């Protein structure tokens, strides 16, 4: 008989969205276990549940205390974990559901976006050693002194799965979702997007952090750091999915492997700030002190060089906070005004081949220009190019770029 493997399976919201879907998850888990594997499940809240809870919180308080939000939101995953464990028991296998705290997922105390510091794998290990399936509530952790429940940011169950797989040194971490792998673009937007058999950790990390929500970006960072063998596949089929792995030789030959779009940012512009040393430092240190992460920054200096406009993007959820801070700093600097633009989209092309091939940027800009789409901001790194454009053109831009870079054809 083959040696027993340890497999971590994570099921997203749609995959546990109904009673029948939970039963299907239980069946797959039981089948995997009966094929001589140790099985650990990580589940998300049932689809729509986290959004529903956020809406409810908003009806109680204009900006709900983050500690209480974490108490509230973490309950969604506990419900699906307990129901999944019950479904497994109904199929005749033993299962135990565990909250983040019971597992020992230790995080810092940044409520709603906590970082995992350590995973005590003892309780889960004991569960599988006793021949049971462990069903872990994703997305949540606990502070070191066990006093506070935290959550890991939207999409955080992916991170729970990868972190638990790393701690257990699992043979495989499978992310089950509602599409059958990682595609060259969001298959719900670009109809002829192509499923990739494999993708490098670096490309996946860029795609995820640039808006491809199929994997949470921190989970990819973690998987890359600990070299967790990761597969993205569908909970609705038996298709093999996409392997996220270390870069190999043939990946370099593909200039662009994917397109991502992020519509969750806003652009702020401080108009007419004096153009002298120290101004940018003042604005951005004030924003950083609030824990707001700034993404793209562009500065335009007036023709006579006396004043500048500074534009930058932040996550939509931080829009209010960023506006307050920028307005107050801008006033002390004698700036004209601060404006916010929220209907923007950041479109990005990603590929490790960009390291060795030139021309991708020119082709991207030309494509946007041919479609009369104005570029408001540009940023590049070794393996990606991003442009901020009007939000209303986001789908058109993704489809046109997909076409021009011929992504529907295998590289
Ligand atoms: P889950 O609830 O299972 O975590 P998500 O909704 O977070 O699922 O992620 C899956 C979704 O990611 C898909 O339905 C798809 O619309 C979107 N997506 C965006 N970019 C991509 C891509 N490049 N490949 C596959 N899916 C993508
Ligand atoms: N339920 C959480 C969310 O909707 C976490 C997750 O699904 O991964 O963001
Ligand atoms: Mg997700």
């Amino acid at each position: 008989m083959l040696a027993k493997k340890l497999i971590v399976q994570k099921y997203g919201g749609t995959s546990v969205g109904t009673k029948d879907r939970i039963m299907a998850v239980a069946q797959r888990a039981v089948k995997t276990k009966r094929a001589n594997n140790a099985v650990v499940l990580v589940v998300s809240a049932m689809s729509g549940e986290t959004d529903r809870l956020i809406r409810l919180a908003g009806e109680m308080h204009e900006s709900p205390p983050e500690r209480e939000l974490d108490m509230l939101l973490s309950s969604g995953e506990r419900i699906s974990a307990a129901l999944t464990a019950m479904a497994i028991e109904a199929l005749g296998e033993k299962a135990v559901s565990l909250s983040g705290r019971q597992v020992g997922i230790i995080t810092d105390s940044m409520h709603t976006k906590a970082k995992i510091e350590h995973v005590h794998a003892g309780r889960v290990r004991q569960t599988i050693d006793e021949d049971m399936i462990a069903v872990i509530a994703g997305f949540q952790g606990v502070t070191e002194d066990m006093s506070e429940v935290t959550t890991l940011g939207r999409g955080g169950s992916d991170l729970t799965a990868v972190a638990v797989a790393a701690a257990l040194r699992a043979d495989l971490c499978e992310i089950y979702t509602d599409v059958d792998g990682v595609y060259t673009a969001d298959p719900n937007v670009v109809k002829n997007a192509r499923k990739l058999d494999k993708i490098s950790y670096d490309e996946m990390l860029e795609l995820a952090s640039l808006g491809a929500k199929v994997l949470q970006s921190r989970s990819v960072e973690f998987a890359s750091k600990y070299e967790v063998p990761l597969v993205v596949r569908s909970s609705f089929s038996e298709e093999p999915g996409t392997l996220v792995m270390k870069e190999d030789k043939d990946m370099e030959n593909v200039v662009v492997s994917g397109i991502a779009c992020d519509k969750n940012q806003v652009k702020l512009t401080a108009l007419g700030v004096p153009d002298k040393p120290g101004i940018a430092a003042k604005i951005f240190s004030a924003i950083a002190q609030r824990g707001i992460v700034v993404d793209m920054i562009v500065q335009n200096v007036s023709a006579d060089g006396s004043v500048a406009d500074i534009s930058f993007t932040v996550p939509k959820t931080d829009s209010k906070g960023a506006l307050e801070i920028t307005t107050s700093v801008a006033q002390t600097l004698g700036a004209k005004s601060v404006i916010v633009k929220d209907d923007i989209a950041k479109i990005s092309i990603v590929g490790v081949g960009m390291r060795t091939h030139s021309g991708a940027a020119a082709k991207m800009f030309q494509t946007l220009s041919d479609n009369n789409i104005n570029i408001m901001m540009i940023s590049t790194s070794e393996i990606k190019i991003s442009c901020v454009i009007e939000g209303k053109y986001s789908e058109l831009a993704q489809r046109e770029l997909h076409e021009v870079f011929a992504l529907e054809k295998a590289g």
Side-chain angles (χ1 to χ4, degrees):
M1 200 143 102
L2 288 170
K4 206 170 186 161
K5 288 213 165 107
L6 170 48
I7 301 179
V8 174
Q9 299 183 331
K10 178 260 170 178
Y11 292 92
T14 321
S15 305
V16 293
T18 63
K19 193 172 82 230
D20 291 348
R21 293 304 311 153
I22 291 180
M23 206 36 103
V25 166
Q27 269 154 359
R28 195 186 287 263
V30 166
K31 192 171 148 206
T32 311
K33 179 169 182 297
R34 290 183 182 162
N36 191 36
N37 298 298
V39 178
V40 174
L41 303 187
V42 173
V43 291
S44 287
M46 296 169 79
S47 57
E49 180 66 2
T50 308
D51 290 335
R52 187 185 73 87
L53 294 171
I54 291 173
R55 270 198 310 276
L56 258 180
E59 284 165 22
M60 295 298 151
H61 193 302
E62 199 190 321
S63 70
E66 293 188 327
R67 178 195 180 276
E68 301 310 328
L69 263 181
D70 278 353
M71 287 298 287
L72 180 71
L73 299 190
S74 58
S75 69
E77 269 68 11
R78 285 183 63 158
I79 293 171
S80 44
L83 290 174
T84 306
M86 289 175 198
I88 294 170
E89 292 264 339
L91 295 174
E93 289 290 336
K94 292 267 159 246
V96 177
S97 67
L98 298 165
S99 67
R101 178 189 171 128
Q102 286 170 311
V103 172
I105 296 178
I106 309 301
T107 72
D108 63 17
S109 55
M110 284 294 278
H111 283 293
T112 75
K113 44 183 169 236
K115 290 212 166 61
I116 294 184
E117 289 175 343
H118 185 67
V119 176
H120 294 294
R123 178 83 191 264
V124 180
R125 177 68 69 188
Q126 187 192 340
T127 307
I128 51 180
D129 284 349
E130 288 169 10
D131 208 33
M132 296 192 275
I133 296 176
V135 188
I136 299 173
F139 177 55
Q140 55 189 274
V142 66
T143 52
E144 177 82 66
D145 61 2
M146 299 279 160
S147 64
E148 296 296 340
V149 171
T150 54
T151 62
L152 310 175
R154 296 307 304 263
S157 300
D158 294 337
L159 177 59
T160 306
V162 172
V164 167
L168 292 169
R169 300 196 204 299
D171 296 288
L172 184 61
C173 179
E174 296 178 312
I175 306 288
Y176 284 93
T177 182
D178 56 3
V179 287
D180 53 13
V182 178
Y183 280 69
T184 48
D186 185 340
N188 289 316
V189 174
V190 180
K191 290 296 164 220
N192 60 349
R194 178 173 49 88
K195 191 184 92 179
L196 300 163
D197 294 332
K198 57 184 183 181
I199 186 167
S200 70
Y201 288 123
D202 285 352
E203 286 172 318
M204 192 63 240
L205 181 57
E206 288 285 8
L207 285 175
S209 48
L210 294 167
K213 75 169 184 165
V214 62
L215 282 175
Q216 189 219 31
S217 61
R218 269 160 55 199
S219 74
V220 186
E221 218 176 303
F222 212 99
S224 165
K225 187 163 167 198
Y226 296 99
E227 291 188 18
V228 176
L230 194 61
V231 169
V232 178
R233 53 186 298 198
S234 168
S235 66
F236 295 81
S237 77
E238 292 299 324
E239 291 296 308
T242 303
L243 187 62
V244 187
M245 55 181 268
K246 269 173 97 169
E247 190 175 323
D248 68 17
K249 269 261 156 274
D250 12 305
M251 290 177 179
E252 264 176 33
N253 299 326
V254 183
V255 183
V256 175
S257 11
I259 295 172
C261 173
D262 184 353
K263 292 186 82 174
N264 284 313
Q265 293 199 354
V266 294
K267 178 164 83 88
L268 284 91
T269 305
L271 292 164
V273 292
D275 185 30
K276 57 180 193 204
I279 298 290
K282 281 207 177 75
I283 296 177
F284 294 110
S285 39
I287 291 174
Q289 265 166 24
R290 270 271 194 113
I292 298 175
V293 180
V294 172
D295 182 20
M296 288 163 114
I297 302 175
V298 167
Q299 177 171 328
N300 303 313
V301 182
S302 65
D304 67 1
S306 62
V307 290
D309 297 339
I310 299 182
S311 298
F312 56 94
T313 60
V314 297
K316 248 183 196 153
T317 44
D318 289 322
S319 164
K320 219 172 125 204
L323 178 62
E324 268 167 32
I325 301 163
T326 315
T327 308
S328 93
V329 179
Q331 265 164 9
T332 64
L333 297 174
K336 264 215 309 266
S337 61
V338 180
I339 51 172
V340 183
K341 184 163 176 52
D342 55 14
D343 53 347
I344 61 163
K346 183 170 73 169
I347 302 287
S348 310
I349 56 172
V350 172
V352 287
M354 280 188 222
R355 286 195 199 116
T356 44
H357 297 70
S358 59
K363 204 163 169 179
M364 180 179 194
F365 303 154
Q366 189 61 50
T367 307
L368 296 175
S369 149
D370 290 347
N371 286 280
N372 254 326
I373 300 172
N374 186 38
I375 302 172
M376 296 183 231
M377 293 170 133
I378 299 171
S379 79
T380 63
S381 79
E382 232 191 342
I383 64 163
K384 72 117 204 274
I385 303 161
S386 303
C387 296
V388 172
I389 60 171
E390 288 276 353
K392 65 180 176 198
Y393 296 126
S394 71
E395 301 205 345
L396 173 68
Q398 288 175 78
R399 285 196 297 269
E400 291 294 323
L401 289 167
H402 199 269
E403 183 79 38
V404 165
F405 286 100
L407 296 188
E408 76 284 2
K409 297 193 197 86

